[in-house]
Amino acid sequence: MKKIILGLVLALVILAAFLLFNTFRLSSKQVAAEPIEKLEISDEVFQNLSRAIQFETISYNEDAIPDSAAFFGFHRFLAETFPLTHANLSLEKISEYSLLFKWEGSDASKKPIILLSHQDVVPVDVPTLGDWEAAPFEGKITDTHIIGRGTMDDKGTMIGLLEAVERLLTESFVPSRSIYLAFGHDEEVGGANGAVKIAAYLKEKGVQAAMTIDEGGFIAENMITGVDKPVAMINLAEKGFASFRLIVETNGGHSSAPPRENTIGILAQAIVDLENNQLPYKMVKPIDSQLEYLGPELPFFTRLAFANPWLFKKPILESLNAHTTTAPTIIDGGVKNNVIPTVAEATINFRILPGESIESVKAHIVSMVSEKVRVEPVGHLTEPSPVSTVESEAFQILAKTIRNQNPEAIVVPGLLGGGTDSRNFYDISEEVYRFYPIRINPESMTRFHGIDEKISKENYKEIIEFSYYLIKNFN
């Protein structure tokens, strides 16, 4: 018995030593910050963003025709507000409404960079209008914020980027590598006529960029337990997007004599089966890189878990949402309270983890639900994007730019659950990253596509300064 106890104690000691060894071996991957000169930015920039918000460049759905008056009016505003940009950069209009600027570099041997944002915004739910601090398209400027639809997603970064370019042109700056500014008009509904066609146009021209950067990353404040520093999340990839319609068709009948399997009951069981049997959590790229960068900055016991994912994998992956998610979003069926319907339908949305696919998700659904349920894809579907690397020079320059501007910030690579225009640029870009320094906290997170969307004046100037130095650091 003593030998068994001693053996167990020895095993525990060896395990503890191994865990501690891995923990202390986990060292910070943050690049050293260098001091930069703070840009003096006029408060006039707030007026420019305010005016941009007043153009209702709304994307309603994939089939809706863009409001030409809103978009063309917005284009005229851009030409008036950023005259040097329009005078010194070439401009191509793609699909009438998308804008592609080219700032010619002085060294043709250097690969260009592509800077993305989008012009369109999501609509506002009419019942929520009374909950806004100011009208969504008024562009109200308060003592601390600019309020309106698009301030966070994505006119804030678009106009901020143009402010930076205009500023550099006033300083007679000439980039060594060419810079493309690509502003799609339909990102909020999939980008089929905007980003997709911009990328195709650049591919046809033989463009091969060193880096593409887009929205989809941010500076998180008080969002990670145990981390009191801001976390600058550079997303290296994004999940795929697919919705499937579950359709149940029966003979229906009178509710006084229900069959053993009811149309709605079959559908409801299918939904429950999918929610209870979701696709597994997996350690995939870029989740492994996220652990390597975030782990060293965490409190000791959390750092120990991140340093030993082989033992603590389940809670870590769950906390990072590292699986293909399942979300019922629409349900329809029935016409009268005493009639069993002949048809009932539900739509289930999936955000697909890298390494899985639209086809594998469909196969999973079919394996989980009754044979009486028909499964059909619906709407715009996209595969998970490829995964960019943290080893590239482009990532290091991006991380350096962030750290120089925010020395206290922790740069962490990650995986985006949503979708952006950037997924269309992998064919023409060595690396694709998602980051602009929009500051997000638990309160402001709900304002994306939500009520009272607004950005602080200080944060907006931060976006302009970041864009200014990003361009300089790549040239």
Side-chain angles (χ1 to χ4, degrees):
M1 186 69 177
K2 287 183 179 179
K3 287 183 178 180
I4 294 174
I5 294 173
L6 285 172
L8 288 173
V9 170
L10 181 60
L12 288 173
V13 169
I14 293 171
L15 175 61
F18 184 71
L19 295 177
L20 290 171
F21 174 76
N22 286 342
T23 303
F24 290 119
R25 191 178 61 174
L26 200 63
S27 59
S28 178
K29 289 185 171 292
Q30 301 305 304
V31 298
E34 296 175 357
I36 58 171
E37 181 182 351
K38 189 76 175 173
L39 279 190
E40 291 296 327
I41 300 173
S42 166
D43 287 353
E44 184 181 337
V45 298
F46 305 142
Q47 294 292 339
N48 292 341
L49 178 57
S50 170
R51 288 178 61 204
I53 298 305
Q54 294 167 36
F55 292 91
E56 299 185 25
T57 52
I58 300 170
S59 285
Y60 289 98
N61 57 61
E62 296 168 42
D63 300 320
I65 298 171
D67 183 341
S68 58
F71 278 95
F72 292 154
F74 184 50
H75 295 171
R76 287 192 294 273
F77 154 75
L78 294 177
E80 294 165 3
T81 308
F82 304 106
L84 292 178
T85 300
H86 285 74
N88 290 275
L89 279 63
S90 64
L91 172 60
E92 290 284 343
K93 286 198 173 185
I94 310 293
S95 301
E96 291 190 82
Y97 305 107
S98 287
L99 306 176
L100 177 63
F101 292 91
K102 182 183 181 183
W103 195 355
E104 193 73 48
S106 60
D107 187 348
S109 68
K110 287 188 175 182
K111 292 183 177 180
I113 59 172
I114 304 170
L115 308 178
L116 301 180
S117 289
H118 61 86
Q119 306 170 60
D120 60 322
V121 299
V122 296
V124 177
D125 290 338
V126 173
T128 70
L129 287 173
D131 298 324
W132 283 69
E133 184 179 345
F137 294 99
E138 179 185 342
K140 182 176 180 179
I141 302 171
T142 71
D143 290 342
T144 57
H145 288 78
I146 305 98
I147 303 169
R149 179 63 88 222
T151 48
M152 298 173 74
D153 185 14
D154 189 35
K155 284 180 178 173
T157 58
M158 177 185 170
I159 304 301
L161 179 56
L162 287 168
E163 294 281 8
V165 170
E166 194 78 3
R167 170 71 172 263
L168 287 163
L169 287 167
T170 64
E171 298 172 1
S172 300
F173 175 80
V174 178
S176 59
R177 68 175 80 230
S178 292
I179 299 170
Y180 290 93
L181 312 178
F183 305 137
H185 72 277
D186 59 349
E187 189 273 348
E188 298 292 0
V189 291
N193 292 307
V196 170
K197 293 191 175 179
I198 292 173
Y201 172 86
L202 292 174
K203 186 174 183 178
E204 184 181 328
K205 295 292 183 183
V207 171
Q208 186 62 38
M211 181 202 71
T212 295
I213 191 168
D214 196 7
E215 62 168 339
F218 47 82
I219 297 179
E221 300 178 312
N222 302 315
M223 298 282 283
I224 299 175
T225 304
V227 179
D228 55 5
K229 295 179 179 179
V231 176
M233 187 68 69
I234 303 174
N235 286 312
L236 310 184
E238 56 191 56
K239 289 183 174 181
F241 178 101
S243 292
F244 290 90
R245 186 178 289 128
L246 310 184
I247 305 166
V248 178
E249 294 179 298
T250 71
N251 293 326
H254 199 285
S255 64
S256 63
R260 188 174 64 84
E261 288 190 303
N262 187 302
T263 315
I264 291 176
I266 296 170
L267 181 64
Q269 186 61 55
I271 295 171
V272 170
D273 289 342
L274 287 172
E275 289 198 304
N276 288 342
N277 297 277
Q278 299 199 27
L279 285 154
Y281 291 88
K282 294 179 181 178
M283 181 68 74
V284 298
K285 291 185 177 301
I287 301 300
D288 54 352
S289 296
Q290 189 169 3
L291 268 59
E292 291 173 4
Y293 274 74
L294 182 58
E297 317 301 331
L298 295 170
F300 178 76
F301 287 107
T302 314
R303 187 163 76 247
L304 184 145
F306 273 54
N308 297 278
W310 59 274
L311 184 59
F312 301 99
K313 183 166 70 171
K314 187 173 186 294
I316 292 173
L317 295 182
E318 286 179 352
S319 70
L320 298 176
N321 204 21
H323 77 134
T324 294
T325 56
T326 303
T329 54
I330 302 171
I331 191 163
D332 182 51
V335 292
K336 198 171 183 293
N337 65 358
N338 65 346
V339 176
I340 295 170
T342 57
V343 180
E345 300 180 356
T347 299
I348 317 294
N349 180 251
F350 297 85
R351 301 303 175 102
I352 308 170
L353 193 71
E356 295 172 358
S357 67
I358 295 168
E359 196 57 40
S360 68
V361 169
K362 183 178 180 181
H364 167 74
I365 299 170
V366 171
S367 71
M368 287 293 120
V369 303
S370 165
E371 293 179 356
K372 297 185 173 89
V373 179
R374 191 165 77 251
V375 180
E376 295 180 353
V378 58
H380 181 74
L381 288 76
T382 60
E383 298 285 4
S385 77
V387 180
S388 295
T389 178
V390 295
E391 281 80 28
S392 71
E393 181 186 14
F395 182 87
Q396 296 305 315
I397 293 173
L398 178 55
K400 187 82 170 177
T401 304
I402 295 167
R403 292 271 294 160
N404 287 353
Q405 186 183 30
N406 296 282
E408 77 286 3
I410 301 166
V411 173
V412 176
L415 172 65
L416 181 63
T420 70
D421 276 342
S422 66
R423 66 181 177 274
N424 300 295
F425 287 78
Y426 280 90
D427 279 352
I428 60 167
S429 188
E430 291 178 354
E431 306 292 349
V432 176
Y433 301 113
R434 298 151 187 84
F435 179 83
Y436 282 106
I438 294 178
R439 291 186 177 266
I440 301 297
N441 57 45
E443 178 189 4
S444 63
M445 194 69 182
T446 61
R447 294 193 179 118
F448 276 106
H449 290 195
I451 297 168
D452 217 27
E453 184 178 348
K454 60 185 177 182
I455 190 168
S456 75
K457 291 177 172 178
E458 183 180 353
N459 189 200
Y460 182 54
K461 285 189 175 182
E462 194 173 4
I463 291 169
I464 297 170
E465 183 180 66
F466 167 80
S467 301
Y468 175 93
Y469 279 113
L470 183 72
I471 292 170
K472 277 201 158 186
N473 290 345
F474 268 93
N475 289 274

